[in-house]
Amino acid sequence: MSVFAAIAVPGELREATDARAWLEGMLAAERALARAEALAGVIPAEAAEAIAETCAAGRFDLEGLAEQGRAAGNPVEPLVRQLRKAVGGDAARYVHWGATSQDVMDTAAMLVARRALELILADVERVAAACARHAREQRDTTMAARTLLQQAVPTTFGLKAAGWLVAVVESRAWLRRVRSERLAAQLGGAAGTLAALGEHGPDVARLFATELELAEPPLPWHANRVRIAELGSALATTAGVLAKIGVDVALLAQVEVAEVAPPEGGGSSTMPQKRNPVGSALAVACARLVAADAAVLTGSLVQEHERALGGWHAEWDALSGALALTGGAAAAIADLLEGLEVDPERMRANLDEAVLSERAVFELGIERGELAGRPLRDALSERLADAELEAALDPAGYLGSAAQLVDRALAFAEGEPGE
Amino acid sequence: MSVFAAIAVPGELREATDARAWLEGMLAAERALARAEALAGVIPAEAAEAIAETCAAGRFDLEGLAEQGRAAGNPVEPLVRQLRKAVGGDAARYVHWGATSQDVMDTAAMLVARRALELILADVERVAAACARHAREQRDTTMAARTLLQQAVPTTFGLKAAGWLVAVVESRAWLRRVRSERLAAQLGGAAGTLAALGEHGPDVARLFATELELAEPPLPWHANRVRIAELGSALATTAGVLAKIGVDVALLAQVEVAEVAPPEGGGSSTMPQKRNPVGSALAVACARLVAADAAVLTGSLVQEHERALGGWHAEWDALSGALALTGGAAAAIADLLEGLEVDPERMRANLDEAVLSERAVFELGIERGELAGRPLRDALSERLADAELEAALDPAGYLGSAAQLVDRALAFAEGEPGE
Amino acid sequence: MSVFAAIAVPGELREATDARAWLEGMLAAERALARAEALAGVIPAEAAEAIAETCAAGRFDLEGLAEQGRAAGNPVEPLVRQLRKAVGGDAARYVHWGATSQDVMDTAAMLVARRALELILADVERVAAACARHAREQRDTTMAARTLLQQAVPTTFGLKAAGWLVAVVESRAWLRRVRSERLAAQLGGAAGTLAALGEHGPDVARLFATELELAEPPLPWHANRVRIAELGSALATTAGVLAKIGVDVALLAQVEVAEVAPPEGGGSSTMPQKRNPVGSALAVACARLVAADAAVLTGSLVQEHERALGGWHAEWDALSGALALTGGAAAAIADLLEGLEVDPERMRANLDEAVLSERAVFELGIERGELAGRPLRDALSERLADAELEAALDPAGYLGSAAQLVDRALAFAEGEPGE
Amino acid sequence: MSVFAAIAVPGELREATDARAWLEGMLAAERALARAEALAGVIPAEAAEAIAETCAAGRFDLEGLAEQGRAAGNPVEPLVRQLRKAVGGDAARYVHWGATSQDVMDTAAMLVARRALELILADVERVAAACARHAREQRDTTMAARTLLQQAVPTTFGLKAAGWLVAVVESRAWLRRVRSERLAAQLGGAAGTLAALGEHGPDVARLFATELELAEPPLPWHANRVRIAELGSALATTAGVLAKIGVDVALLAQVEVAEVAPPEGGGSSTMPQKRNPVGSALAVACARLVAADAAVLTGSLVQEHERALGGWHAEWDALSGALALTGGAAAAIADLLEGLEVDPERMRANLDEAVLSERAVFELGIERGELAGRPLRDALSERLADAELEAALDPAGYLGSAAQLVDRALAFAEGEPGE
């Protein structure tokens, strides 16, 4: 267990991505293989039955597999030996029939990814719902937009939340597309020809995918890692989108800004007054780690010949990490946004009048030079009567299409195809 | 000009991604903005005409824009000043009306990306065609499959090329999808509310996108960089796929393997005999650089508030680099594969009989232990008559579904939706 | 020219790292090689003289070298051809005698790095001086320390600047060490044996290094890229340290915090009131790009055999970029800190009384639970008389060893060995 | 446990870098803090004794700390609560006196790093010794040097091993320097002023470092992460150097090259004949993951104010991973090189005569053009008598300074300062 993931990743997701989950994925692959081969008439039905029964994760010694896996460079080789021994009898020789280690690892990776994506998407869903709620509730709450960390012009908290929402929905759509279209079974045999299955290769491959409810790829993808790279990219993008929300919240929660407050919790070991935006910190850290994992996966596209010298092996932990930590970010931001306290009055109070200087240029035709170096109010008071002056300095009067854009974002989120 | 890109990136693409191309993109954005605003009735038609006429890149001083851009942190601010001066008269004040620097930079980025993608895709197309040709022509050419750089079982060169083809087609499909769906105009004004355009904001935004033939986004995306991250990911994936082909070719072209030969060229400055797989080296280098650029783009998802403190600025060169160098990889691999000489006899001759040991296990039921530590031929000769022995040791007899898979890959490539 | 580097990198450094600078480095290498070989008696002195005279960068066609370099995979091969032609006569055959392209490129890289490091270090020096000045001048200026972006306990602006100073000094020391110890001449011939130089190899290698005032390495380092990786790491670390300063300044310059103000400039194309921390943005963007370049250089450690298939080629632009952009960050932060306006009164005013709650725990022995959920002043007023209360709530009274630590940092910076 | 690390990282190192090791580091920090504070007279000696006794890792519930650490964003805050409870009585309030969570985490990180570096360096030592042995034993074993994967000129296996040796020694020297100079205790209190320790701050900090036998830094380094970035860089460089050896070995071990053979083991789950270079694959995968971890650490230099929003948190697992996997690479390559079988005859046999074409240019003055497109032997036979011809085609006669360079590398390795 690593120290940050232990904190940041929800327990269920941690379990869904750890070595034991991979082991279960491998066993599911071996079981589905045996069944598919029995259906295709490649191995005896009784052998398949015996194998399927034995594939119950609990009996296998993970620590031992790791130890012995060192020599083979992967845990499948010793697992197959354990499995053959456990199955025993005539059926033993049909274990792993016609498959190669990578078939089993890659298929396990897909099963791990599928389960993890389910958990991740549930929390991403919570994030989207919270964004939508804030967008609706604060549709007309005026606040300062900030560029390069400086107040720029007025905006609304609703539009800020709507911006988060659109990004979340876009990355969610990508994750969903990957889940439904890109998680494919892997079966190619020693080097992708399915040679050991004789004429039954394509049949078995199809049945194997069906058995596991994974997509059937056009070719075995042992040396074509586009789907892994795409999964990594979608995860890193999602994590980045979540971290952006985290940073925005933390900036708004600064003592001097105080426009939002994170949920209770976030205490310090020494300073009783602190209400730290811990969820923001967790999401930022997760996103950085996921980006690094995704870079490893992208690098792993360059695999030598029919199985890479290390490029393949590097994927396993990078994929586990990317899944777990994207989920960590999603959980952290879901909690953060669901418990977020918004202070519309402070938002309004923080607005510096200077944020209306753009308006003076566009609506009043004042030259930019005239406004430099002195308060906007002074510059405007030379031109405007008092009532006009107050109107011109009312930030709520310079929100452009903010409200309309919020509605549009909400409609976009509604329209994005769901499950 | 940087020294590697000067070599690796085709001249046309280098021009399509350099600072001048960005400048042209910015001017196209300013022109389209003026036109859209005239159509929407926001600015006078004559002003729009004057602005559009002035937006002819040649007159602008790139070096000067860079120098002055340092103070503003982007080149748009000084460009707008130059443009206003060049337009002159009443129309000058309508230059850049209601827009912010990021609107212009982001839109320019999309235009640069669109043009570059066109060039990249043309070379990716050549790669796909060359892969398909090799797959067809060498459909039944037996060679060694290699895993972890060791001969494994027989395969065909056709299947190897088919594997490349599927990966190329998958990444091409991704690039195309990004091009047609994800390149969107950016118009939000100072902070995304379109405030300076009053009630005309959405209209202008729509007309602006139409003018440029870019997609209209649900919201201004100044702080939602999912589309940039996705573009970067698609480019890095494509470059990785191309580099994988490059590595395979270089490995096959080793003196000791000599199954393929790269096209003529690739001479050394000192060793006359060498025929270096230069295209492989270029593609590998490109892919590493593109992966780094894509990682920068992923990192830039975390933008503060309505415009990032640096995260936005980091995108420009990373995006240019990712586009240029993906194209460099595509051109290198297209040339490499088009001129590749394939030596089927050498492929057959290199096949070590040991690659049939798997067959002995699966078809002849020999125990793996029996085969260890001695030549396969010896082990088999104890069981098989001479004719059977030669048949069992014929690699062409143990190709599984290779030919069928080649056909399937070709059909897949045919079926992938085109332009 | 790339659009961001054009803005962010000072002109002199941009020139010191562009393709022309590399060309000059290659010519310097060829010249030094000829001289060293003449001194060692390997080639005639007159030939060396003729070669040295011809090596004047102006005469060479950079664009043409790039074009022709594509076939060889590097620009040295066509350069040598051009050089031989330009030298003419008997001397022509002694051009590039016994060397390989990589000898010339790697040595050029070292010369480019040396010149760039000189420029970078000059700006890093300015940063260090500005940090030291702020540390001294604001040694006792009380302000809020902030952790996770929340006010924590009091500190001083002097200590903050001292913290920057120590990091700058540490990274500067690393850059200096790399410059003085790790920039080494490369001469190994075709594959590192110096074979074409017969018995004179080591002599020529020594004289070559002497001629260029570069270190002489224990072995040719064509396939040992530790020194390149270390240079990249030192640059990325320096850029990161500078970006950290940039972020701190931008956070302090927020309208709502306003404890510092960046120098004038930083205007927006649309909002007249803005005073953007542009230097911060540039430094952050530079640091992200340098980190990506450094990652490429680290990845390039894995070079195949005696010259890499792409791993070497990827280094050139990554190294140029890392040098240029680290310098960009240094220049931006030097300008930022030199022109920084500090507002001690605002620093004091911003201090929330709550930052003394830790003090209440440690000095007054109040339980953390007692302080939760109500103002610190209320909690303390139950225990303390008025005078004590004000003293307890005076942040200047809870600065611990801040002043002493500032002095220590200044002494550390003084003591760090200089040029 | 993650699936790849379970295989690749030796058990002892895995334990030295997992969450429990961090917990032990935290407890060691708390213990040392109490002792230092007692020595400085800040807390009662009996309290320190009670705290020190309680700090026995076994009693703490790691899973619970993780769960509760989620709210605080780090495991120290709940650990301190558990510790206070376990200590009980008056002493309880002196637990963690004046420190902040980061003091404890950062110090734990240093202790984890120290222990891990010890294990890593032991295996790096084995690698260096094996390189040196091969360099000595094969000092004069002629083989082909290969550039861009093509045979170039002759070299020796001794020189190849010597090249590995120098890179290993350089990265080892870096690791050692980091270990002895850059592992520093962290004690700064809530924000680096040591405020809660009153006038005793610097004393306690010094005693704390002494107690732990860590360096005393010039300032608390909570927001100055240069030492972490440097550690990461040194690890990534070491891992890269090791992976380069792994790749070279795997290339030499290809069936068609067969110049070396990896140790027994490396079996496939399906192909009995295979002798996979598993150590190479593991080292390559480790190096890619370490590079990604190091990039995270470099990115974490940019920390906001006195404690980062996520940048700090991202370091923990990245550091653990970098340490563990660098050790994994070292162990894999140590095993690989120690058991490596070298086949000098095959090396000689593989040498293509064409590798002597450079010699023909330099020693015989033949024009490069004359050699193109026909066997070197044919070209030479026109000029040379038979005996001369054979001599000219003897690769052992064109080794330049190879032997001398081997000696030089061995002397360099000897001279590199040890423990």
Side-chain angles (χ1 to χ4, degrees):
Chain A
M1 189 165 61
S2 47
V3 71
F4 175 71
I7 284 173
V9 182
E12 200 175 355
L13 179 55
R14 226 157 61 216
E15 281 171 24
T17 52
D18 71 4
R20 185 152 298 279
W22 279 78
L23 173 58
E24 282 168 23
M26 294 175 215
L27 290 165
E30 296 287 2
R31 186 171 55 228
L33 177 67
R35 283 185 179 149
E37 288 174 338
L39 284 171
V42 174
I43 70 170
E46 313 80 65
E49 205 46 47
I51 293 166
E53 274 171 25
T54 312
C55 289
R59 305 199 209 157
F60 297 87
D61 162 25
L62 201 58
E63 198 61 57
L65 292 175
E67 209 58 49
Q68 296 155 41
R70 186 169 177 81
N74 70 67
V76 175
E77 200 265 346
L79 174 64
V80 169
R81 278 189 281 122
Q82 283 194 20
L83 196 47
R84 284 196 178 118
K85 202 166 159 191
V87 168
D90 281 353
R93 65 186 293 258
Y94 295 111
V95 166
H96 193 65
W97 187 259
T100 192
S101 295
Q102 189 172 3
D103 292 332
V104 176
M105 282 300 275
D106 281 355
T107 300
M110 294 290 102
L111 297 173
V112 166
R114 182 170 64 190
R115 171 67 183 135
L117 282 172
E118 194 181 315
L119 296 169
I120 294 165
L121 280 163
D123 277 332
V124 169
E125 206 54 60
R126 289 172 55 207
V127 173
C131 289
R133 177 172 62 81
H134 288 298
R136 263 192 312 272
E137 290 178 4
Q138 314 288 345
R139 182 176 179 274
D140 301 306
T141 302
T142 309
M143 73 183 298
R146 294 169 176 98
T147 58
L148 282 83
L149 296 186
Q150 291 291 308
Q151 290 198 8
V153 292
T155 187
T156 61
F157 188 61
L159 184 54
K160 184 181 277 279
W164 298 341
L165 175 63
V166 170
V168 169
V169 166
E170 288 180 345
S171 58
R172 185 185 63 184
W174 191 0
L175 285 180
R176 284 179 179 169
R177 189 172 63 229
V178 168
R179 185 182 56 168
S180 63
E181 296 174 18
R182 305 294 287 151
L183 300 184
Q186 171 76 286
L187 189 66
T193 61
L194 292 160
L197 297 173
E199 62 191 344
H200 301 290
D203 262 8
V204 172
R206 186 177 42 75
L207 291 162
F208 178 65
T210 306
E211 190 76 31
L212 294 161
E213 296 178 51
L214 290 168
E216 193 196 350
L219 286 193
W221 47 278
H222 47 111
N224 165 10
R225 314 306 284 179
V226 171
R227 62 190 74 237
I228 298 284
E230 188 168 356
L231 173 52
S233 303
L235 291 167
T237 298
T238 304
V241 163
L242 294 162
K244 184 262 189 293
I245 300 175
V247 167
D248 279 1
V249 167
L251 287 167
L252 295 177
Q254 292 172 98
V255 170
E256 301 84 356
V257 180
E259 299 182 1
V260 304
E264 291 291 340
S268 144
S269 71
T270 172
M271 295 164 286
Q273 90 280 9
K274 288 199 75 182
R275 192 161 163 183
N276 282 323
V278 169
S280 298
L282 295 178
V284 167
C286 286
R288 293 191 184 195
L289 293 162
V290 176
D293 286 325
V296 170
L297 297 178
T298 299
S300 284
L301 285 158
V302 189
Q303 305 225 347
E304 297 89 357
H305 288 321
E306 278 70 39
R307 186 161 312 128
L309 184 83
W312 173 50
H313 310 73
E315 288 175 0
W316 312 333
D317 288 3
L319 182 58
S320 297
L323 291 163
L325 293 160
T326 300
I333 297 302
D335 291 347
L336 183 70
L337 289 185
E338 288 175 354
L340 192 72
E341 296 168 23
V342 181
D343 186 341
E345 277 163 43
R346 182 68 185 249
M347 287 177 175
R348 184 67 177 256
N350 278 344
L351 267 162
D352 192 290
E353 281 181 353
V355 300
L356 290 160
S357 59
E358 186 198 59
R359 180 186 210 175
V361 174
F362 281 98
E363 294 189 359
L364 305 176
I366 300 183
E367 291 293 316
R368 293 160 52 87
E370 285 182 62
L371 298 173
R374 60 174 178 163
L376 178 63
R377 180 174 286 268
D378 294 359
L380 294 190
S381 61
E382 295 168 9
R383 304 199 172 207
L384 303 174
D386 280 7
E388 287 169 334
L389 180 64
E390 292 314 315
L393 289 173
D394 177 12
Y398 195 63
L399 289 170
S401 308
Q404 212 173 325
L405 290 168
V406 170
D407 297 342
R408 195 159 151 168
L410 289 167
F412 172 77
E414 284 293 319
E416 199 270 329
E419 305 290 300
Chain B
M1 188 165 63
S2 47
V3 72
F4 175 72
I7 285 173
V9 182
E12 199 174 356
L13 180 55
R14 225 157 61 217
E15 281 171 23
T17 53
D18 69 5
R20 185 152 297 280
W22 279 78
L23 173 58
E24 283 168 23
M26 293 175 216
L27 290 164
E30 296 286 1
R31 189 169 54 229
L33 177 66
R35 283 185 178 149
E37 289 174 336
L39 284 170
V42 173
I43 70 169
E46 313 82 64
E49 204 46 48
I51 293 167
E53 274 171 25
T54 311
C55 287
R59 305 198 208 158
F60 297 87
D61 162 25
L62 200 58
E63 198 62 55
L65 292 176
E67 210 57 50
Q68 297 156 41
R70 187 169 175 80
N74 71 68
V76 176
E77 199 267 345
L79 175 63
V80 169
R81 279 190 281 121
Q82 283 194 21
L83 196 47
R84 284 196 179 119
K85 203 167 158 189
V87 168
D90 282 354
R93 65 186 294 256
Y94 295 111
V95 167
H96 193 65
W97 187 260
T100 193
S101 295
Q102 188 171 3
D103 291 331
V104 175
M105 282 300 277
D106 281 355
T107 300
M110 294 291 101
L111 296 173
V112 166
R114 181 171 64 190
R115 171 68 183 135
L117 282 172
E118 194 181 314
L119 296 169
I120 294 165
L121 280 163
D123 276 332
V124 169
E125 205 54 60
R126 288 173 55 208
V127 173
C131 288
R133 177 172 63 81
H134 288 298
R136 264 193 311 272
E137 289 178 6
Q138 314 289 344
R139 181 176 179 274
D140 302 307
T141 302
T142 309
M143 72 184 298
R146 295 168 175 100
T147 58
L148 283 82
L149 297 185
Q150 291 291 308
Q151 289 198 8
V153 292
T155 187
T156 62
F157 187 62
L159 184 54
K160 183 181 279 278
W164 299 340
L165 176 62
V166 170
V168 169
V169 165
E170 288 180 344
S171 58
R172 185 183 64 184
W174 191 1
L175 284 180
R176 284 178 178 168
R177 190 171 63 229
V178 168
R179 186 182 56 169
S180 62
E181 296 173 18
R182 304 294 288 152
L183 301 185
Q186 170 75 289
L187 189 65
T193 61
L194 291 159
L197 297 173
E199 60 190 346
H200 301 290
D203 261 8
V204 172
R206 184 177 41 75
L207 291 163
F208 179 66
T210 306
E211 191 77 31
L212 294 162
E213 297 178 51
L214 289 168
E216 193 196 350
L219 286 194
W221 47 279
H222 48 109
N224 165 8
R225 314 308 283 178
V226 170
R227 61 191 73 236
I228 298 284
E230 187 169 356
L231 173 53
S233 303
L235 291 167
T237 298
T238 303
V241 162
L242 294 163
K244 185 262 189 290
I245 299 175
V247 167
D248 280 1
V249 167
L251 288 168
L252 295 177
Q254 292 172 97
V255 171
E256 301 84 355
V257 180
E259 299 182 3
V260 304
E264 290 291 338
S268 142
S269 70
T270 174
M271 296 163 285
Q273 89 281 7
K274 287 198 74 180
R275 193 162 163 182
N276 281 324
V278 170
S280 298
L282 295 179
V284 167
C286 285
R288 294 191 184 194
L289 293 163
V290 176
D293 286 326
V296 170
L297 297 178
T298 300
S300 284
L301 285 159
V302 189
Q303 305 226 347
E304 298 88 357
H305 287 320
E306 277 70 38
R307 186 162 312 129
L309 185 82
W312 174 49
H313 309 73
E315 288 175 0
W316 312 334
D317 288 4
L319 181 58
S320 296
L323 290 163
L325 294 160
T326 301
I333 296 302
D335 291 348
L336 184 70
L337 289 185
E338 288 176 354
L340 193 73
E341 296 168 23
V342 181
D343 187 340
E345 278 165 40
R346 181 67 185 250
M347 286 176 174
R348 183 67 179 257
N350 278 344
L351 268 163
D352 193 291
E353 280 182 354
V355 300
L356 290 160
S357 59
E358 186 198 60
R359 180 186 209 175
V361 173
F362 280 98
E363 295 188 0
L364 306 176
I366 299 182
E367 292 292 319
R368 294 159 52 86
E370 285 183 62
L371 299 172
R374 61 173 176 164
L376 178 63
R377 180 174 288 268
D378 294 359
L380 295 190
S381 61
E382 294 168 8
R383 302 200 173 206
L384 301 174
D386 281 6
E388 287 170 332
L389 180 64
E390 292 314 315
L393 289 171
D394 177 14
Y398 194 63
L399 289 169
S401 308
Q404 212 173 325
L405 289 169
V406 170
D407 298 341
R408 195 158 152 169
L410 289 166
F412 172 77
E414 284 293 319
E416 198 269 330
E419 306 290 302
Chain C
M1 188 163 64
S2 48
V3 71
F4 175 71
I7 284 174
V9 182
E12 199 174 355
L13 180 54
R14 226 157 62 217
E15 281 171 23
T17 52
D18 70 5
R20 185 152 298 280
W22 279 79
L23 173 58
E24 282 167 24
M26 294 175 215
L27 290 166
E30 296 287 1
R31 188 170 54 231
L33 177 67
R35 282 184 179 149
E37 289 175 336
L39 284 171
V42 174
I43 70 170
E46 314 81 61
E49 204 45 48
I51 293 166
E53 275 172 25
T54 312
C55 286
R59 304 197 209 158
F60 297 87
D61 163 24
L62 200 58
E63 198 60 56
L65 292 176
E67 210 56 51
Q68 296 154 42
R70 187 169 176 79
N74 70 68
V76 175
E77 199 266 346
L79 174 63
V80 169
R81 279 189 282 121
Q82 282 194 22
L83 196 48
R84 282 194 180 121
K85 202 167 158 189
V87 168
D90 281 354
R93 65 185 293 256
Y94 295 112
V95 167
H96 193 66
W97 186 259
T100 193
S101 295
Q102 189 172 3
D103 291 332
V104 176
M105 281 301 276
D106 280 354
T107 300
M110 294 290 101
L111 297 173
V112 166
R114 181 171 64 189
R115 170 68 183 135
L117 282 172
E118 193 180 315
L119 296 169
I120 295 165
L121 280 163
D123 276 334
V124 169
E125 205 55 59
R126 289 172 56 207
V127 173
C131 289
R133 176 171 65 79
H134 288 299
R136 264 193 311 272
E137 288 178 5
Q138 313 289 345
R139 181 176 180 274
D140 302 306
T141 302
T142 309
M143 75 184 296
R146 293 167 176 99
T147 58
L148 282 82
L149 295 186
Q150 291 292 308
Q151 290 198 8
V153 292
T155 186
T156 62
F157 187 62
L159 184 54
K160 184 181 276 278
W164 297 342
L165 176 62
V166 170
V168 169
V169 165
E170 288 180 344
S171 59
R172 185 184 64 184
W174 191 1
L175 285 181
R176 284 179 179 168
R177 188 170 66 229
V178 168
R179 186 182 56 169
S180 63
E181 296 174 19
R182 304 294 287 150
L183 300 185
Q186 171 75 288
L187 190 65
T193 62
L194 291 160
L197 297 173
E199 62 191 345
H200 301 290
D203 262 8
V204 171
R206 185 177 41 76
L207 290 162
F208 179 65
T210 306
E211 191 76 31
L212 293 162
E213 297 179 52
L214 289 168
E216 193 195 351
L219 285 194
W221 48 279
H222 48 110
N224 165 8
R225 314 307 283 179
V226 171
R227 63 190 73 236
I228 299 284
E230 188 169 356
L231 174 52
S233 303
L235 291 167
T237 298
T238 304
V241 162
L242 294 162
K244 185 264 189 288
I245 299 175
V247 167
D248 280 1
V249 167
L251 288 167
L252 294 178
Q254 292 172 99
V255 171
E256 300 83 358
V257 180
E259 299 182 2
V260 303
E264 290 291 340
S268 143
S269 71
T270 174
M271 294 164 285
Q273 88 281 7
K274 288 198 73 180
R275 192 162 162 181
N276 281 324
V278 169
S280 298
L282 295 179
V284 167
C286 286
R288 293 191 184 194
L289 293 163
V290 176
D293 286 325
V296 170
L297 297 178
T298 299
S300 284
L301 285 159
V302 189
Q303 305 226 346
E304 298 89 357
H305 288 320
E306 278 70 38
R307 185 161 314 127
L309 185 82
W312 173 50
H313 310 72
E315 289 175 0
W316 313 334
D317 288 4
L319 181 58
S320 296
L323 290 164
L325 293 160
T326 301
I333 297 302
D335 290 349
L336 183 71
L337 289 185
E338 288 176 355
L340 193 72
E341 296 168 23
V342 181
D343 186 340
E345 277 164 42
R346 182 67 186 250
M347 287 176 174
R348 184 67 178 257
N350 278 344
L351 268 162
D352 193 289
E353 280 182 355
V355 300
L356 290 160
S357 59
E358 186 198 61
R359 180 186 210 174
V361 174
F362 281 98
E363 296 188 0
L364 306 176
I366 300 182
E367 291 293 318
R368 293 159 51 87
E370 286 181 62
L371 299 172
R374 61 173 176 165
L376 178 63
R377 180 174 288 269
D378 293 0
L380 295 191
S381 60
E382 294 169 8
R383 302 200 173 206
L384 302 175
D386 280 7
E388 287 170 334
L389 181 64
E390 292 314 315
L393 290 172
D394 176 13
Y398 195 64
L399 288 170
S401 309
Q404 211 174 325
L405 289 168
V406 170
D407 297 342
R408 195 158 152 170
L410 289 167
F412 172 76
E414 285 293 319
E416 197 269 331
E419 304 290 302
Chain D
M1 188 164 62
S2 48
V3 71
F4 175 71
I7 283 173
V9 183
E12 199 174 355
L13 180 55
R14 226 158 60 217
E15 281 170 24
T17 52
D18 70 4
R20 185 152 298 281
W22 280 78
L23 173 59
E24 283 167 23
M26 294 176 215
L27 291 165
E30 297 286 2
R31 188 171 54 229
L33 177 67
R35 283 184 179 150
E37 288 175 337
L39 283 171
V42 174
I43 70 170
E46 314 80 64
E49 205 45 49
I51 294 166
E53 274 172 25
T54 312
C55 288
R59 303 197 210 159
F60 297 87
D61 162 25
L62 200 58
E63 199 61 57
L65 292 175
E67 210 56 51
Q68 296 156 40
R70 186 168 176 81
N74 71 67
V76 176
E77 200 265 346
L79 175 63
V80 169
R81 278 188 282 122
Q82 283 195 20
L83 196 47
R84 284 196 180 119
K85 202 167 159 192
V87 168
D90 282 352
R93 65 186 294 257
Y94 295 111
V95 166
H96 193 64
W97 187 260
T100 193
S101 295
Q102 190 172 2
D103 291 331
V104 176
M105 281 300 275
D106 280 354
T107 299
M110 294 291 102
L111 297 174
V112 166
R114 182 169 64 189
R115 171 69 183 134
L117 282 172
E118 194 181 314
L119 296 169
I120 295 165
L121 279 163
D123 276 334
V124 169
E125 206 54 60
R126 289 173 55 208
V127 173
C131 288
R133 176 171 65 79
H134 288 298
R136 265 193 312 271
E137 289 177 4
Q138 313 289 345
R139 180 176 180 276
D140 301 305
T141 302
T142 309
M143 74 183 298
R146 294 168 176 97
T147 58
L148 282 82
L149 296 187
Q150 291 292 308
Q151 289 197 9
V153 293
T155 187
T156 62
F157 188 63
L159 184 54
K160 184 181 276 279
W164 298 341
L165 174 63
V166 170
V168 169
V169 165
E170 288 180 344
S171 58
R172 185 185 63 184
W174 190 2
L175 285 181
R176 285 179 179 168
R177 189 171 63 231
V178 168
R179 186 182 55 169
S180 63
E181 296 174 19
R182 305 294 288 151
L183 301 185
Q186 171 75 289
L187 189 66
T193 61
L194 291 159
L197 297 173
E199 62 190 345
H200 300 290
D203 262 9
V204 172
R206 185 177 43 75
L207 291 162
F208 179 65
T210 306
E211 190 76 31
L212 293 162
E213 296 179 51
L214 289 168
E216 193 196 351
L219 287 194
W221 48 279
H222 48 110
N224 165 10
R225 314 307 283 178
V226 171
R227 64 190 72 237
I228 299 284
E230 188 168 355
L231 173 53
S233 303
L235 291 166
T237 298
T238 304
V241 162
L242 294 162
K244 186 262 189 290
I245 299 175
V247 167
D248 280 1
V249 167
L251 287 168
L252 295 177
Q254 291 171 100
V255 170
E256 301 84 356
V257 180
E259 299 182 2
V260 305
E264 290 291 341
S268 144
S269 71
T270 173
M271 296 163 286
Q273 89 280 7
K274 286 199 76 180
R275 191 161 164 183
N276 281 324
V278 169
S280 298
L282 296 178
V284 166
C286 285
R288 293 190 185 197
L289 292 163
V290 176
D293 286 325
V296 170
L297 297 178
T298 299
S300 285
L301 285 159
V302 189
Q303 305 226 346
E304 297 89 357
H305 288 321
E306 279 69 39
R307 186 161 314 128
L309 185 81
W312 172 50
H313 310 72
E315 289 175 359
W316 313 333
D317 288 4
L319 182 58
S320 296
L323 290 163
L325 293 160
T326 301
I333 297 301
D335 290 348
L336 183 70
L337 289 185
E338 288 175 355
L340 193 72
E341 296 169 23
V342 181
D343 185 341
E345 277 163 43
R346 182 68 186 249
M347 287 178 175
R348 184 66 177 256
N350 278 344
L351 267 162
D352 192 290
E353 281 180 354
V355 300
L356 290 160
S357 60
E358 186 198 62
R359 179 186 211 176
V361 174
F362 281 99
E363 295 188 0
L364 306 176
I366 300 182
E367 292 293 318
R368 292 159 52 88
E370 285 182 62
L371 298 173
R374 60 173 177 163
L376 178 63
R377 180 174 287 270
D378 294 359
L380 295 191
S381 62
E382 294 168 9
R383 303 201 173 205
L384 301 175
D386 279 7
E388 286 170 333
L389 181 64
E390 293 313 315
L393 290 173
D394 177 12
Y398 194 64
L399 288 169
S401 308
Q404 212 174 324
L405 289 168
V406 171
D407 298 340
R408 195 157 151 170
L410 290 166
F412 172 77
E414 284 293 320
E416 199 269 331
E419 305 291 301

